[in-house]
Amino acid sequence: MFLEPQEAMPQTFVFSSVFSPSCSEQGQPNMGECSKSGSGDLIFQDGHLISGSLEALVEHLVPTVDYYPDKTYIFTFLLTSRVFIPPNDLLARVGRLCLAQRQQLEAGPDQAKRKSFSVKTVQLLKEWTEAFPCDFQEEKAMAELRAITHCITQRDEENSTVKKAVTQMTQKLLLSLAARSQLQEIWEKFHPSAMNKGAVLNTKSPTTQKDILSVCCDPLVLAQQLTYIELEQIHSIHPEDLMQILSHRDSLDNQRCQGAQTKIYSLEAYDNWFNCLSMLVATEVVKKKQRTRMVEFFIEVARECFNIGNFNSMMAIISGMNLTPVARLKKTWSKVKTAKFDVLEHHMDPSSNFCNYRTALQGATQRSQMAHSNREKIVIPVFNLFVKDIYFLHKIHTNHLPSGQVNFKKFREISRQIHDFITWTQVECPFEKDKKLQNYLLTAPIYSEEALFVASFESEGPENHMEKDSWKTLRRRPRACPPISDKGSSSTCRDSSVKLL
């Protein structure tokens, strides 16, 4: 069954209270139109922090004997503060504030307070290193981390609990950094060859050419394997990677951490997956003699993706079938029962800022929140639209208010949306991996855009002057990637030039 449309359309760019409250700490206001903190540098509204000076926001991050910041505030500020201050510099500021407090506590006789402060400081660093290990990739940051932990444990010889927590935190951080470093090496090894990959001559005869139906003829199984691949892809995307998009487009490259290249690769790989899937769908249709059956098969696959909550693959399939070389095949489409495809296109109708899609996404999100199984938790949004949403939110709201304070309300909403996305990426795939099918999906040759047109015109000849001119031009060109035909061999290439982001 398709997801039932929800009664209310979510307001994409309206600041929401869905995100956990960021102001549950002691001494913060809970109600009222607008109120200030004791220092006057933090402004709260209805219990939520909405603005403050950068200095006050940094101070708000650092725990004291009687105070520990809300987890939502920690995540939001650590994520979004990199727009204003590099993580290395933020860590240094936090270190100075911790050192100042530690010195004050050492001047007093209360050992319990000193221990309480140590425990809270380690907890803050633990949350930081677990959520954003990339921030500690530079030796400068690691040195600062060691200095802070040494400061808070040097006179707590009797406090083995704190020292044990520091050791565990450090070991976990090093393992995480090692894993990311390995991933970066993999990206760097394969990225250049993937980007520069040219035409690959395929000497197989047309009769031996495989198509997707020879590997899988069950739309549900294919949709499940596409979902498996999607979840693997998005699992490598981290919160700071998404903030990197905002920083990159604002030309704030100098504020990137050392792991920026890994981030670029992970986002580019996921974007490339969407484009390759679209081109694969188009290739499978134009190279197949039974094109009608292939079109109807992919329509069913897209429907199953929708029911699962895999909107990204669904959009990629629709995009592939809407590419001109496929869309122009009138004889093929005349034999297709298009009612189901019309429903799919209705869900992805771009009018009113993709209102129908957002309604379906809201339904999938609500299902995920109430789910009792991983199968029901799956939500894979259209990544291109998600990125555009957070970027648009970033552009239409200023970073600073007229008062000069940081517009924390804006960054809280950006953080909420990124937090939701990261929550979806952590869902464990409930489907068993089909190695043979996934190998086909990830390695099957696909046509370039030019080759798609050639195959399309060979299947159904040009009908108007524009198509005839295009066909003449294509026939005069040497075929770097000729399509499968009854006359000879075929050449295919995986073309990543069609960018949607």
Side-chain angles (χ1 to χ4, degrees):
M1 295 294 292
F2 276 67
L3 295 171
E4 293 295 331
Q6 302 300 308
E7 295 182 359
M9 163 71 182
Q11 299 298 313
T12 309
F13 304 121
V14 175
F15 293 110
S16 170
S17 60
V18 175
F19 204 34
S20 303
S22 60
C23 307
S24 61
E25 302 90 343
Q26 179 180 352
Q28 293 177 351
N30 294 318
M31 297 297 293
E33 289 294 324
C34 184
S35 56
K36 295 184 178 181
S37 67
S39 65
D41 290 328
L42 297 177
I43 307 298
F44 295 84
Q45 188 174 40
D46 297 326
H48 295 286
L49 177 59
I50 62 172
S51 67
S53 66
L54 182 58
E55 292 74 18
L57 292 171
V58 174
E59 291 179 4
H60 198 55
L61 177 68
V62 179
T64 66
V65 173
D66 303 315
Y67 160 81
Y68 189 80
D70 182 88
K71 289 182 178 296
T72 298
Y73 177 77
I74 294 174
F75 178 84
T76 299
F77 186 67
L78 290 178
L79 173 65
T80 60
S81 62
R82 61 197 70 226
V83 173
F84 305 100
I85 178 174
N88 279 350
D89 293 349
L90 176 61
L91 182 62
R93 290 196 189 189
V94 169
R96 288 194 292 271
L97 290 172
C98 289
L99 178 60
Q101 287 196 61
R102 177 70 185 193
Q103 289 174 342
Q104 291 179 357
L105 291 171
E106 287 179 348
D110 199 332
Q111 182 177 341
K113 288 185 177 181
R114 189 167 64 243
K115 178 180 178 180
S116 174
F117 174 71
S118 298
V119 170
K120 291 178 180 178
T121 303
V122 172
Q123 178 61 28
L124 173 65
L125 295 173
K126 179 175 179 291
E127 293 191 40
W128 191 340
T129 56
E130 289 180 352
F132 308 102
C134 159
D135 292 351
F136 301 86
Q137 203 157 358
E138 294 182 3
E139 177 55 34
K140 180 180 178 182
M142 287 298 296
E144 187 67 42
L145 178 64
R146 288 192 292 266
I148 296 173
T149 55
H150 175 73
C151 169
I152 62 177
T153 59
Q154 62 178 338
R155 291 189 56 184
D156 286 336
E157 289 80 2
E158 75 287 352
N159 190 1
S160 60
T161 303
V162 174
K163 288 192 172 183
K164 183 178 179 180
V166 169
T167 301
Q168 291 176 342
M169 174 192 71
T170 304
Q171 290 176 343
K172 189 172 183 179
L173 172 61
L174 293 175
L175 289 174
S176 180
L177 289 175
R180 294 203 182 192
S181 177
Q182 185 178 21
L183 177 61
Q184 181 175 347
E185 290 177 2
I186 294 174
W187 284 126
E188 291 175 346
K189 180 179 179 180
F190 291 102
H191 178 69
S193 59
M195 293 302 295
N196 299 326
K197 188 175 181 180
V200 178
L201 182 63
N202 190 329
T203 57
K204 292 183 180 180
S205 66
T207 56
T208 61
Q209 283 285 343
K210 281 188 176 182
D211 60 59
I212 189 67
L213 291 175
S214 68
V215 183
C216 175
C217 59
D218 188 335
L220 176 59
V221 172
L222 180 53
Q224 290 175 345
Q225 293 306 303
L226 289 173
T227 302
Y228 192 109
I229 294 173
E230 292 274 358
L231 289 173
E232 271 195 337
Q233 291 271 353
I234 62 177
H235 187 69
S236 64
I237 298 175
H238 304 283
E240 63 269 30
D241 300 349
L242 299 169
M243 285 302 297
Q244 172 73 16
I245 297 174
L246 308 185
S247 298
H248 177 69
R249 295 192 181 187
D250 281 348
S251 300
L252 296 180
D253 296 352
N254 60 317
Q255 295 185 6
R256 297 178 183 179
C257 67
Q258 187 175 347
Q261 290 299 316
T262 302
K263 300 175 189 179
I264 292 174
Y265 291 158
S266 64
L267 294 173
E268 185 175 344
Y270 191 45
D271 177 36
N272 196 41
W273 155 250
F274 181 99
N275 296 317
C276 285
L277 179 56
S278 295
M279 298 294 279
L280 176 63
V281 169
T283 300
E284 293 289 335
V285 173
V286 299
K287 79 178 184 182
K288 181 72 174 176
K289 289 184 177 180
Q290 296 179 344
R291 291 181 293 277
T292 301
R293 182 188 176 195
M294 188 66 75
V295 169
E296 291 180 339
F297 175 72
F298 276 116
I299 290 174
E300 291 298 328
V301 174
R303 280 168 51 89
E304 295 296 348
C305 286
F306 180 86
N307 293 334
I308 290 173
N310 181 0
F311 299 105
N312 200 58
S313 289
M314 173 190 172
M315 177 66 97
I317 293 171
I318 294 175
S319 298
M321 290 195 287
N322 278 329
L323 290 175
T324 302
V326 177
R328 65 166 297 277
L329 298 173
K330 294 182 180 180
K331 293 180 182 179
T332 300
W333 284 99
S334 67
K335 301 174 184 178
V336 175
K337 297 178 181 179
T338 58
K340 294 179 180 179
F341 188 68
D342 293 340
V343 172
L344 293 175
E345 288 202 308
H346 172 75
H347 284 297
M348 293 301 174
D349 183 359
S351 62
S352 301
N353 193 22
F354 288 89
C355 174
N356 297 333
Y357 158 70
R358 296 184 190 282
T359 301
L361 179 63
Q362 184 188 36
T365 301
Q366 292 176 349
R367 180 187 66 184
S368 178
Q369 292 170 347
M370 298 181 293
H372 299 289
S373 67
N374 286 332
R375 169 64 181 79
E376 297 173 325
K377 291 180 181 179
I378 296 174
V379 181
I380 305 175
V382 179
F383 188 65
N384 186 37
L385 294 180
F386 172 78
V387 170
K388 287 181 178 178
D389 280 357
I390 60 174
Y391 182 68
F392 185 64
L393 178 61
H394 175 57
K395 295 305 291 185
I396 65 173
H397 296 284
T398 60
N399 291 344
H400 293 90
L401 300 176
S403 63
Q405 290 191 326
V406 173
N407 185 3
F408 194 74
K409 187 177 183 181
K410 160 190 169 175
F411 291 105
R412 190 178 72 234
E413 177 61 14
I414 291 176
S415 176
R416 184 192 67 81
Q417 294 194 23
I418 291 178
H419 181 273
D420 287 345
F421 179 83
I422 295 302
T423 299
W424 298 330
T425 69
Q426 296 171 349
V427 173
E428 182 179 350
C429 185
F431 310 123
E432 186 177 349
K433 183 176 183 178
D434 186 327
K435 293 183 179 180
K436 181 179 179 181
L437 179 52
Q438 287 198 24
N439 182 66
Y440 184 88
L441 291 170
L442 295 171
T443 64
I446 61 177
Y447 290 169
S448 67
E449 187 175 1
E450 181 178 303
L452 286 174
F453 272 106
V454 173
S456 178
F457 286 136
E458 287 185 343
S459 299
E460 297 184 20
E463 294 189 349
N464 52 52
H465 292 297
M466 184 177 296
E467 288 189 346
K468 290 178 181 179
D469 290 341
S470 297
W471 181 222
K472 288 180 181 178
T473 302
L474 288 171
R475 293 178 68 179
R476 285 196 298 265
R477 293 178 183 175
R479 290 190 191 176
C481 301
I484 297 172
S485 67
D486 294 332
K487 297 181 179 180
S489 63
S490 66
S491 172
T492 55
C493 70
R494 186 164 290 271
D495 189 339
S496 61
S497 63
V498 184
K499 286 294 175 184
L500 299 181
L501 283 178

